[in-house]
Amino acid sequence: MSTTETGTARPAGRPRSEKAEKAILEATLDLIGEGSGVTELTIEAIAARAGVGKTTIYRRWSNKEDLVVDALATLKSPVPDLPGDSVRGDLIVLMEAMRLDALQSDRRCVMNIAMSESDRYPHLFEKFRRIAIEPRREAMRKVLRRGVANGELQPDLDIDLAMQIVSGPMVMFTRWADPEDLTEDLPQRIVDQVLAGLGRK
């Protein structure tokens, strides 16, 4: 047990602020998933769903857009640890992370609803891209550059184009295909097919 400044006992465990923050983020995602687009979403509704006051939210986020960005970022898994043994192995790990995220149907629903308003909130989604998407892209960029340096890939490889070629099929599968198509061997199939064209002749 710990005590407050007034000497009142306070139960040990997760700090109240952390619980509140988690509740706020979950409330934001729940409301978006129920069809409240970014435009309709309000701080009042989020506070009511999370069981906190508006001031609790504004102490952490200056506006609704910043809150939405942080909430959406929780839907993306962290960049996975890469073995570093081969370009093929690392790319398969990165593609598998995308596949596993896509298998969470509730996450896909929320993300699709939110992304439908990207034209109306370009700054919001640019910040989301920097926080949640760019770290994965940078991981892939490093893998491909390493492959060029050690001779696994073509010496004149266009890195940015190669990134699109590698991730593009998985993006299409995760957005438009049936969940049954997201098979366990899909990452390997995509990477092997791509490397057949990108590998050194």
Side-chain angles (χ1 to χ4, degrees):
M1 300 285 284
S2 59
T3 58
T4 64
E5 292 179 355
T6 60
T8 304
R10 184 177 61 194
R14 176 179 294 181
R16 183 176 180 83
S17 59
E18 187 177 341
K19 290 182 179 180
E21 184 169 311
K22 185 175 185 292
I24 293 166
L25 293 172
E26 290 179 349
T28 302
L29 296 176
D30 287 345
L31 289 169
I32 293 175
E34 292 169 6
S36 295
V38 178
T39 300
E40 292 80 13
L41 195 64
T42 66
I43 294 295
E44 289 80 4
I46 295 170
R49 177 65 65 91
V52 301
K54 290 192 298 181
T55 55
T56 301
I57 295 178
Y58 282 119
R59 278 199 297 267
R60 293 163 174 78
W61 294 277
S62 60
N63 54 59
K64 177 179 69 174
E65 287 76 13
D66 286 346
L67 170 53
V68 170
V69 167
D70 284 350
L72 293 178
T74 67
L75 299 179
K76 290 290 187 181
S77 301
V79 177
D81 293 330
L82 302 178
D85 298 328
S86 67
V87 168
R88 177 179 181 273
D90 286 352
L91 290 180
I92 289 174
V93 170
L94 290 171
M95 292 300 98
E96 175 66 0
M98 294 178 64
R99 186 185 77 90
L100 292 177
D101 276 354
L103 286 174
Q104 306 295 323
S105 59
D106 54 337
R107 294 185 180 187
R108 292 175 66 182
C109 177
V110 171
M111 194 66 70
N112 288 338
I113 292 172
M115 288 301 176
S116 68
E117 296 188 85
S118 58
D119 290 342
R120 300 186 64 176
Y121 296 92
H123 297 298
L124 184 158
F125 290 100
E126 174 58 23
K127 184 175 180 181
F128 172 75
R129 186 191 66 79
R130 292 197 310 270
I131 293 175
I133 299 176
E134 186 54 35
R136 290 190 179 196
R137 287 177 52 82
E138 182 57 25
M140 184 181 293
R141 189 177 291 115
K142 289 180 179 179
V143 170
L144 295 176
R145 285 174 176 167
R146 190 189 73 226
V148 170
N150 65 21
E152 290 183 75
L153 302 176
Q154 301 170 11
D156 59 347
L157 183 68
D158 184 326
I159 298 294
D160 287 335
L161 180 58
M163 290 171 58
Q164 299 299 327
I165 294 172
V166 173
S167 60
M170 185 60 79
V171 171
M172 292 299 296
F173 270 98
T174 58
R175 288 189 178 179
W176 307 114
D178 293 329
E180 293 78 9
D181 294 327
L182 296 172
T183 56
E184 291 185 4
D185 67 339
L186 181 59
Q188 179 179 329
R189 287 164 48 207
I190 290 174
V191 171
D192 285 345
Q193 185 67 53
V194 170
L195 289 181
L198 298 183
R200 181 182 288 274
K201 303 298 184 181

